[in-house]
Amino acid sequence: MEALKETLKQQIIEHLNLEDLTVADFPDNEPLFGDNIGLDSIDSLELIVLLENEYGAKLSSPEEGKQVFHSVNSLAEFIAANRTK
Amino acid sequence: MTNATPTYCHITNQHYTVNGKIVENTTAVDAQEWLKTIYTNLSLDYPKFYKMDGLSKTGFIAVELLKTAINLPSDSDDIAVVFVNKYASLEADLAHQELIEKGTPSPAIFVYTLPNIVLGEIAIRNKWYGEQQFFIKNEWPEELMHKYILTIFELNKASQIIIGSVEYFDTRMDAKLVVITKEHYRNSDVLNEIKTIF
């Protein structure tokens, strides 16, 4: 799981063009949206694309996204449970 | 005629200038890297810059360059921004089309498939709520600009107008912006001055 989280952080930086951030800036359990990392609504759409393209994991509903996208931990848990590749 | 020349800047792949003076040259061939270099040189701290497409980065940086030479207050409805270019958002349009054909469209690229998004980025950055317009023209539309400037000032829509061309296409960038005040417009043939500047 730790390796997945590290990979995921790097992918988020690359896919979302967060060039001012490093892997070390992503605490595992801090909110991705809000003051810390500061992702926005377009970023959430990019995260959906990332999950589908890199892991073959699809959200079942928009409501699920709020919980899944909360933090690196929640994203990694979702991927581990739903990945198809 | 007034002696006060409007503040202006110019960015190309080779250099950037403010009021006609070269601030820095480059031999870099990558336009995106060059824009990042200017961003760093200006000591800016605006992470959203990295997410912008080339056109928005170019317009954004050009306005930041103007701000090094003239006071353009934040949180204002008294500043208008009027841009012109030839290729609109074609760079982002083609990138979006390519990803569609691959079956992997990107929302972050799609949102830049309109040229006037650069105006929104600048407005958000500076909290400018005034008149904004983006014209797509093959050549600099002198008569249209004359009428537009006149209308903005006569209707008191703004007391300063950032006007010029912003282009980013096929790795080539070119932004020429000038700040015109009501005083410039009243006291001088400012459109001829712009032609002289650029």
Side-chain angles (χ1 to χ4, degrees), chain B residues 69-86:
Chain B
I70 187 172
N71 180 33
L72 295 168
S74 179
D75 202 2
S76 170
D77 60 2
D78 202 28
I79 296 173
V81 187
V82 181
F83 287 176
V84 178
N85 82 0
K86 180 177 180 179

Side-chain angles (χ1 to χ4, degrees), chain B:
Chain B
M1 295 282 287
T2 176
N3 289 325
T5 304
T7 298
Y8 61 100
C9 72
H10 190 189
I11 305 175
T12 72
N13 290 61
Q14 286 77 40
H15 62 250
Y16 60 97
T17 71
V18 176
N19 291 335
K21 293 180 183 171
I22 292 178
V23 180
E24 189 175 355
N25 290 299
T26 185
T27 54
V29 290
D30 188 313
Q32 290 280 349
E33 286 301 317
W34 177 223
L35 285 166
K36 272 190 254 179
T37 299
I38 305 172
Y39 172 89
T40 303
N41 291 350
L42 291 172
S43 301
L44 300 174
D45 182 17
Y46 193 71
K48 202 179 175 211
F49 171 80
Y50 295 108
K51 299 181 185 179
M52 296 178 193
D53 72 329
L55 181 65
S56 288
K57 280 180 180 164
T58 304
F60 175 92
I61 288 291
V63 169
E64 293 299 318
L65 278 179
L66 289 173
K67 288 161 63 178
T68 66
I70 187 172
N71 180 33
L72 295 168
S74 179
D75 202 2
S76 170
D77 60 2
D78 202 28
I79 296 173
V81 187
V82 181
F83 287 176
V84 178
N85 82 0
K86 180 177 180 179
Y87 291 101
S89 57
L90 191 53
E91 182 91 3
D93 299 348
L94 291 173
H96 184 52
Q97 183 182 15
E98 187 179 336
L99 290 175
I100 288 173
E101 288 168 356
K102 285 180 180 172
T104 56
S106 161
I109 290 177
F110 168 71
V111 294
Y112 289 102
T113 57
L114 283 172
N116 54 325
I117 299 301
V118 59
L119 299 175
E121 294 287 10
I122 292 165
I124 291 167
R125 156 72 167 172
N126 296 287
K127 297 186 175 72
W128 289 340
Y129 314 109
E131 176 76 11
Q132 297 177 15
Q133 190 62 260
F134 199 116
F135 294 102
I136 301 162
K137 299 286 180 186
N138 282 330
E139 305 290 340
W140 176 253
E142 189 173 345
E143 189 176 339
L144 174 63
M145 289 300 102
H146 177 83
K147 288 177 181 171
Y148 211 80
I149 293 167
L150 184 68
T151 302
I152 288 172
F153 284 149
E154 288 199 344
L155 295 179
N156 288 315
K157 294 291 185 184
S159 60
Q160 289 175 297
I161 306 175
I162 300 171
I163 193 166
S165 64
V166 177
E167 198 76 81
Y168 186 101
F169 178 60
D170 198 18
T171 72
R172 192 185 72 85
M173 76 174 97
D174 195 298
K176 304 168 187 169
L177 297 184
V178 57
V179 182
I180 303 170
T181 66
K182 279 186 179 178
E183 286 67 32
H184 288 135
Y185 198 72
R186 283 194 195 113
N187 299 327
S188 69
D189 185 359
V190 76
L191 289 174
N192 274 331
E193 283 194 40
I194 293 173
K195 275 182 13 185
T196 305
I197 289 168
F198 294 139

Side-chain angles (χ1 to χ4, degrees), chain A residues 15-20 38-40 42-43 45-46 49 53, chain B residues 36 45 47-48 50-51 57 103-109 111:
Chain A
H15 282 254
L16 275 54
N17 291 321
L18 307 174
E19 293 184 31
D20 56 321
L39 302 189
D40 59 25
I42 299 300
D43 294 322
L45 295 174
E46 284 293 332
V49 174
N53 289 348
Chain B
K36 272 190 254 179
D45 182 17
K48 202 179 175 211
Y50 295 108
K51 299 181 185 179
K57 280 180 180 164
T104 56
S106 161
I109 290 177
V111 294

Side-chain angles (χ1 to χ4, degrees), chain A residues 2-81:
Chain A
E2 289 307 310
L4 172 59
K5 282 192 258 185
E6 290 302 297
T7 302
L8 187 55
K9 289 174 186 177
Q10 195 59 50
Q11 288 172 330
I12 292 172
I13 290 169
E14 288 172 10
H15 282 254
L16 275 54
N17 291 321
L18 307 174
E19 293 184 31
D20 56 321
L21 299 180
T22 67
V23 169
D25 294 317
F26 282 78
D28 290 354
N29 209 30
E30 288 291 316
L32 292 169
F33 294 81
D35 292 338
N36 190 12
I37 304 297
L39 302 189
D40 59 25
S41 57
I42 299 300
D43 294 322
S44 68
L45 295 174
E46 284 293 332
L47 284 175
I48 293 171
V49 174
L50 188 158
L51 291 180
E52 290 189 10
N53 289 348
E54 299 291 336
Y55 300 100
K58 292 188 177 184
L59 293 173
S60 57
S61 69
E63 291 73 28
E64 189 182 17
K66 191 172 181 181
Q67 183 187 345
V68 170
F69 293 157
H70 172 73
S71 65
V72 171
N73 273 347
S74 58
L75 267 171
E77 286 166 9
F78 175 79
I79 291 167

